[in-house]
Amino acid sequence: MSAPKRQKSSKDVPYELIYWPGIPGRGEHVRLALEEAGATYTDTAQIEKGVDQVMAQISESNVGDDHNPPPLAPPILRHGDLLISQTPNILLYLGPRLGLVPPEDDEEHPDALYKVNALALTALDGLSNEVHDCHHPIASGLYYEDQKEEAKRKSKDFVDNRLPKFLGYFERVLQGKASGNGPWLYGGQLTYADLVLFQCVDGTKFAFRKAMAAAEKSGKYAHVFKLYDAVKERPRIQEYLASKRRQDYSLGIYRYYEELDFGPEGRD
């Protein structure tokens, strides 16, 4: 049996990000990677009636094509004939192509892609998924107002227990030898895991202002906030953050509710 043909995914083909308009959301991690690399891409969030492309992809009538199964939800990336979804999966694909992981032949950093991916997954678990669950702890299909009391309990526990756990973990990573020289998580160079952690910290700073301000002031997580500042100062990231392409936080993953804004000593 002959080997299967690879799908067309040349670097010369522009990337197409298919994601909701109006919120940074999970698509923001993909945008940051593309922006940092200076890649050519389109974004349905910036296109008139771009939401129609999102709806077409997640429609119950969409069964995919000869090579690609239908995606369940955005973000979705189209690159040539390739169509993939899931934020970490998209980043796993983009990382080597955009130079956001050490190359395969880097003998000093063997299997770097999988180590970088593990760091990105951990940030997404603790500082994205769990933050979302703070305002929707029972069901994503319910309104926030229908689960407000539960959200208060969840948010207080997140601030008291989960947030220090994940900030502390990344502080340890950044102090470890595998981090290398400089402010980055792995191999002494910027990877997509750094961009993911930046976005997760940025969103959590928006949602839990008191807790994150106290965490930064404490000095316990100095390396984490140094990484955050270092990403923010990257020329292409800096330009992107100041542009209209960077969307404001609203009713996506990262939301601000005063009643959920617990500090280390509560809401006072």
Side-chain angles (χ1 to χ4, degrees):
M1 185 174 67
S2 61
K5 293 182 179 179
R6 293 195 62 184
Q7 291 174 260
K8 297 176 183 177
S9 54
S10 167
K11 288 184 180 179
D12 296 331
V13 178
Y15 298 100
E16 301 175 53
L17 174 62
I18 301 170
Y19 197 72
W20 304 111
I23 56 171
R26 292 177 175 84
E28 193 66 11
H29 299 286
V30 182
R31 292 189 191 98
L32 286 168
L34 293 166
E35 291 283 348
E36 167 61 28
T40 301
Y41 75 101
T42 59
D43 183 351
T44 56
Q46 304 294 334
I47 299 173
E48 186 177 359
K49 296 184 179 180
V51 70
D52 293 345
Q53 294 187 47
V54 179
M55 297 304 294
Q57 287 293 337
I58 64 174
S59 169
E60 291 185 359
S61 65
N62 180 19
V63 295
D65 59 31
D66 289 348
H67 301 289
N68 301 292
L72 176 67
I76 302 158
L77 182 78
R78 181 184 286 119
H79 192 209
D81 290 340
L82 176 70
L83 189 81
I84 54 175
S85 61
Q86 294 285 356
T87 302
N89 189 46
I90 293 171
L91 293 172
L92 190 69
Y93 174 77
L94 288 176
R97 289 161 175 79
L98 300 180
L100 292 174
V101 291
E104 285 188 22
D105 59 358
D106 186 341
E107 295 182 358
E108 292 185 14
H109 306 102
D111 301 315
L113 177 59
Y114 307 105
K115 299 166 188 176
V116 169
N117 195 50
L119 292 166
L121 286 166
T122 303
L124 290 168
D125 280 347
L127 300 175
S128 178
N129 296 340
E130 291 203 24
V131 173
H132 172 272
D133 290 349
C134 284
H135 54 75
H136 276 73
I138 297 179
S140 58
L142 294 176
Y143 290 109
Y144 163 68
E145 289 74 18
D146 297 327
Q147 47 196 318
K148 185 181 291 188
E149 291 306 312
E150 293 85 357
K152 290 178 183 178
R153 292 182 63 190
K154 177 71 173 179
S155 296
K156 182 65 166 62
D157 180 72
F158 175 78
V159 166
D160 289 346
N161 299 303
R162 304 299 288 170
L163 181 59
K165 181 182 181 70
F166 282 94
L167 291 178
Y169 168 72
F170 284 109
E171 183 69 16
R172 288 192 288 116
V173 171
L174 288 162
Q175 292 179 24
K177 290 184 179 180
S179 173
N181 297 322
W184 311 123
L185 286 167
Y186 181 75
Q189 68 179 76
L190 178 85
T191 68
Y192 71 79
D194 299 301
L195 301 174
V196 169
L197 183 57
F198 163 80
Q199 175 58 20
C200 287
V201 169
D202 193 69
T204 306
K205 282 166 68 77
F206 176 81
F208 292 102
R209 303 173 188 186
K210 293 177 182 177
M212 289 297 280
E216 186 169 10
K217 186 177 180 180
S218 74
K220 294 179 181 178
Y221 317 108
H223 291 84
V224 173
F225 289 102
K226 183 179 179 181
L227 179 149
Y228 173 81
D229 290 337
V231 171
K232 207 169 186 178
E233 292 168 2
R234 303 278 296 184
R236 286 173 175 159
I237 297 297
Q238 194 172 48
E239 186 277 327
Y240 168 66
L241 295 176
S243 74
K244 292 182 179 179
R245 300 190 302 281
R246 172 73 166 185
Q247 300 174 85
D248 294 333
Y249 295 113
S250 55
L251 293 179
I253 297 169
Y254 300 108
R255 310 183 185 189
Y256 181 74
Y257 295 109
E258 186 176 3
E259 62 269 22
L260 304 185
D261 190 13
F262 292 93
E265 305 301 325
R267 290 193 299 271
D268 296 332

